[in-house]
Amino acid sequence: MTYKILALDLDGTLFNSEKIVSDANRAALASAKELGVKIVITTGRPLAAIGSLLEELDLISDDDYSITFNGGLVQKNTGQVLDKSALTFDQIAFVYQELKALGLPTDILSEGIVYSLPSQDGRKSQYHLANPLLEFVELDSLEALPRDIIFNKIVTVTDADFLDAQLNRVKEETFANFESFKSRDIIFEVMPKGVHKAFGLQLLCQHLGIAAKEVMAVGDEANDITMLEWAGLGVAMANGTSDVKQVANVVTSLTNDQSGVAEAVQKYILSEEN
């Protein structure tokens, strides 16, 4: 099968543990590009949190695209937005109250700005450690949140064990009207219902006239599951969660610290046997 799009998650997938793209991964992506494959970064981050990665990978032309905010934005890497989905203020208020009741801090993302609210007992978000490139604004109350902005998503970021313990208290129906998932061991995310990575990729493919079967997607965490199920070839990283591996078509033998992306690209895109 000839793939026209290679959709890549960042953390735990393209990035190693040091948040670096290895030489092997970079070379494999360059070779795929030479064959005409579009490299599409598909991430929960906003474009502003990707840093210099797009320049490093030479993905800065008007014909390069990214899926950001877990499918909430479909955009050209020049910044032009093709499609966007967002939360309402009422939805923000509902999620905030639920997280507050659990003793969890709340981060509300609006493009490149993060509005942070601590938990009632003063527990502050650790999101700035995960995404230091974003602008952070600390709020004392939800009433201080601007209303005339786009609400892309909500995250709560705190110690993994505490987060898991609190999420175990959540009733199944609490977030039934949202997409909610862990994207890392310390990060729980809440998105508009129906908005996820597969949703964003499908919109992009409609713009480009590309079929799902012509997409190869690679990921490692719960927020990657929809795109691995949707794509023609879903590839789970060796370091991926068990749920991700179960839905993937194939699993790499190498982890993100061993250039597992390069292994997958070589086997399923560059190999003459493919």
Side-chain angles (χ1 to χ4, degrees), residues 10 37 146 198:
L10 292 181
V37 178

Side-chain angles (χ1 to χ4, degrees), residues 5-229:
I5 284 181
L6 172 59
L8 290 173
D9 171 56
L10 292 181
D11 297 298
T13 301
L14 182 59
F15 284 155
N16 62 20
S17 297
E18 303 300 318
K19 308 297 182 188
I20 293 171
V21 179
S22 69
D23 290 342
N25 281 352
R26 188 179 291 107
L29 297 187
S31 296
K33 270 194 70 179
E34 288 179 8
L35 291 180
V37 178
K38 287 188 180 298
I39 311 300
V40 178
I41 301 302
T42 311
T43 178
R45 301 181 182 205
L47 208 60
I50 297 178
S52 60
L53 176 66
L54 300 178
E55 288 81 4
E56 290 175 24
L57 299 179
D58 191 24
L59 299 176
I60 53 175
S61 79
D62 194 51
D63 200 31
D64 289 314
Y65 304 85
S66 290
I67 308 296
T68 57
F69 290 113
N70 293 308
L73 285 185
V74 179
Q75 56 193 136
K76 292 189 176 186
N77 289 349
T78 55
Q80 179 186 347
V81 174
L82 303 180
D83 298 282
K84 64 181 178 181
S85 305
L87 295 162
T88 66
F89 179 81
D90 286 346
Q91 290 175 318
I92 292 289
F94 172 82
V95 175
Y96 167 67
Q97 292 299 332
E98 292 299 325
L99 296 178
K100 182 179 177 181
L102 292 168
L104 293 168
T106 301
D107 286 308
I108 302 158
L109 276 75
S110 178
E111 300 179 321
I113 301 177
V114 182
Y115 296 92
S116 297
L117 288 151
S119 66
Q120 275 188 300
D121 61 357
R123 179 180 289 266
K124 291 192 174 185
S125 169
Q126 297 179 19
Y127 198 44
H128 63 285
L129 301 177
N131 280 294
L133 296 175
L134 299 178
E135 178 184 347
F136 287 81
V137 177
E138 293 193 9
L139 303 179
D140 294 326
S141 68
L142 189 64
E143 286 68 34
L145 179 69
R147 304 295 179 91
D148 58 343
I149 58 175
I150 294 172
F151 303 117
N152 296 108
K153 68 173 180 177
I154 286 182
V155 301
T156 184
V157 187
T158 190
D159 299 329
D161 290 343
F162 181 75
L163 179 60
D164 285 341
Q166 300 312 98
L167 291 179
N168 283 337
R169 296 170 49 199
V170 177
K171 295 178 181 178
E172 188 174 336
E173 65 270 19
T174 299
F175 296 116
N177 294 322
F178 302 88
E179 299 294 331
S180 60
F181 46 79
K182 286 185 69 177
S183 58
R184 284 176 54 189
D185 60 343
I186 63 170
I187 302 178
F188 176 70
E189 308 200 18
V190 181
M191 295 282 302
K193 187 69 174 178
V195 177
H196 41 65
K197 290 188 177 184
F199 173 77
L201 278 172
Q202 186 170 25
L203 289 174
L204 176 61
C205 285
Q206 288 172 359
H207 284 291
L208 300 178
I210 292 174
K213 66 181 181 180
E214 298 173 301
V215 178
M216 171 176 155
V218 190
D220 73 304
E221 272 285 0
N223 62 328
D224 299 316
I225 287 176
T226 61
M227 74 170 180
L228 298 194
E229 290 179 318

